[in-house]
């Protein structure tokens, strides 16, 4: 009997080792190019943490991150073949699927949209609702980016369209701040720390925020997933171990962020990300902490809600038939990274 039990334990150990080896096997592609639209933004902090703390290297990956003015440009880079993966908004994944492009997200960075609308101080007094945006010059990170889609939704919610305003791409960070301060813009939709920088200086009044779950629900009626890593479904199918390695690194970064102090985070990010003002960055960081995904998973309910939101104003999504939202993301990689599968 004892011999049988020993054999059973041995077979079980071998079986578990095989499973572990299949999940965390060597990447098929050790060099991976990631495109991101505004790397210094807190929207992409988990990506920066994974890079700076060597989590990608720990997974056997040599990752090259290329920075673009906005998520739409990062998406173009991947579709054009100069990047393998995008760190960007999940809304782009659904939008591109509606156009017949099979993209798939595989690990979340953010659990909320994490964007805000600010009105320049000279116009803030007359703002009562998105109807008052009519005729304004409004800055977004880049045309077609998630900030642009957010603005489009706000406009459509009150019967306006993009043609009722002037939309100007201003990037994120210092360029976005300058766009308001030079009088180029009447309003801005952007991410942190640019919004906090403008608000603390009295340049804008924040009238809509989706950083918190409460804010997302107030705008959309749901908490919507946002920042993620995504790629072509073909890439996922051909390189599952590479995608798993990327998910492992990102989940490690998210886990570290949950426990890290603000000072530890500031000591980790590149000095130029702080925009020369540590207290400002700290304020933006504390505001943003609630937006980070706790586990890298994309909520199926949130994904479906985002699809329903996009259908209200995105003509491609509205016209597309047969989009299966469950095909636009795969939580299996993040679940394995977190030891949940």
């Amino acid at each position: 009997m004892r011999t049988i039990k020993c054999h059973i334990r041995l077979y079980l150990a071998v079986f578990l080792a095989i499973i572990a080896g299949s999940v965390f096997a060597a990447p098929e592609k050790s060099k991976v190019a990631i495109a991101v639209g505004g790397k210094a933004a807190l929207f992409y902090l988990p990506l920066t943490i994974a890079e700076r703390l060597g989590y990608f290297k720990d997974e056997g990956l040599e990752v090259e991150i290329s920075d673009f003015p906005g998520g739409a440009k990062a998406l173009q880079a991947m579709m054009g073949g100069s990047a393998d993966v995008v760190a960007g908004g999940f809304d782009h994944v659904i939008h591109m699927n509606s156009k017949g492009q099979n993209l798939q997200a595989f690990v979340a960075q953010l659990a909320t949209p994490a964007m805000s609308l600010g009105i320049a101080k000279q116009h803030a007094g007359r703002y009562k609702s998105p109807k008052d945006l009519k005729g304004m010059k409004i800055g977004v990170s880049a045309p077609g980016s998630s900030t642009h889609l957010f603005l489009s939704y706000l406009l459509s919610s009150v019967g306006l369209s993009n043609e009722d305003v002037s939309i100007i791409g201003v990037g994120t960070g210092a360029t976005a701040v300058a766009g308001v301060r030079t009088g180029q813009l009447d309003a801005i939709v952007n991410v942190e720390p640019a919004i906090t920088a403008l608000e603390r200086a009295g340049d804008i009044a924040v009238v809509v925020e989706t950083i918190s779950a409460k804010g997302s629900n107030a705008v959309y009626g749901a908490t919507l997933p946002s920042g993620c890593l995504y790629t072509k479904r073909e890439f996922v199918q051909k390189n599952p171990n590479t995608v798993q390695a990327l998910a492992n690194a990102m989940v490690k970064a998210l886990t570290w962020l949950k426990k890290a102090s603000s000072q530890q985070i500031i000591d980790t990010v590149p000095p130029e990300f702080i925009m020369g003002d540590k207290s400002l960055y700290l304020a933006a960081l504390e505001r943003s902490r609630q937006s980070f995904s706790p586990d890298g998973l994309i909520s199926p309910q949130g994904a479906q809600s985002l699809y329903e939101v996009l259908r209200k104003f995105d003509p491609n999504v509205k016209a597309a038939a047969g989009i299966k939202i469950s095909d636009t993301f795969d939580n299996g990689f993040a679940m394995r990274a977190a030891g949940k599968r």
Side-chain angles (χ1 to χ4, degrees), residues 68-294:
F68 294 87
K73 296 294 184 183
L75 170 60
Q76 288 173 13
M78 186 193 68
M79 297 305 294
S82 60
D84 302 304
V85 173
V86 177
F90 183 55
D91 46 8
H92 286 153
V93 178
I94 297 177
H95 174 79
M96 293 300 288
N97 271 269
S98 75
K99 298 172 72 173
Q101 300 293 333
N102 295 322
L103 305 188
Q104 189 172 66
F106 57 87
V107 64
Q109 295 190 82
L110 300 178
T112 67
M115 290 170 278
S116 301
L117 167 65
I119 307 298
K121 59 183 178 181
Q122 63 268 32
H123 301 292
R126 68 178 180 87
Y127 181 89
K128 298 294 185 290
S129 80
K131 287 184 178 180
D132 299 314
L133 296 173
K134 188 173 182 178
M136 285 191 179
K137 295 174 291 183
I138 305 175
V140 298
S141 58
S145 293
S146 294
T147 50
H148 187 178
L149 294 174
F150 173 44
L151 174 60
S152 296
Y153 175 76
L154 288 178
L155 294 171
S156 70
S157 70
V158 292
L160 298 178
S161 70
N162 289 342
E163 285 68 39
D164 291 309
V165 300
S166 297
I167 298 173
I168 303 169
V170 293
T172 59
T175 55
V177 171
V180 174
R181 290 180 177 168
T182 58
Q184 182 185 3
L185 305 175
D186 302 316
I188 186 169
V189 176
N190 222 278
V191 293
E192 297 294 344
I195 292 294
T196 292
L198 289 165
E199 185 181 37
R200 281 166 64 96
D203 296 314
I204 63 169
V206 174
V207 294
V208 180
E209 66 86 13
T210 62
I211 297 172
S212 66
K214 181 180 179 181
S216 179
N217 276 281
V219 175
Y220 298 112
T223 302
L224 304 184
S226 185
C228 62
L229 292 192
Y230 68 83
T231 185
K232 297 176 182 177
R233 201 172 305 156
E234 181 184 11
F235 184 90
V236 176
Q237 293 167 347
K238 287 184 177 180
N239 304 280
N241 298 332
T242 303
V243 171
Q244 185 64 63
L246 289 166
N248 292 346
M250 293 300 295
V251 170
K252 285 181 187 177
L254 291 167
T255 301
W256 184 87
L257 277 170
K258 283 191 292 188
K259 301 175 182 178
S261 67
S262 295
Q263 187 59 53
Q264 286 176 307
I265 294 171
I266 284 181
D267 289 343
T268 303
V269 301
E272 60 270 22
F273 283 18
I274 299 171
M275 298 173 64
D277 190 334
K278 181 178 176 180
S279 66
L280 184 156
Y281 192 85
L282 279 170
L285 175 60
E286 289 308 309
R287 174 183 272 179
S288 298
R289 275 184 178 272
Q290 61 193 311
S291 68
F292 300 132
S293 171

Side-chain angles (χ1 to χ4, degrees), residues 7-24:
H7 280 300
I8 290 173
R9 281 196 288 266
L10 176 61
Y11 292 145
L12 180 60
V14 171
F15 177 69
L16 291 174
I18 291 172
I19 292 176
S22 65
V23 171
F24 299 110

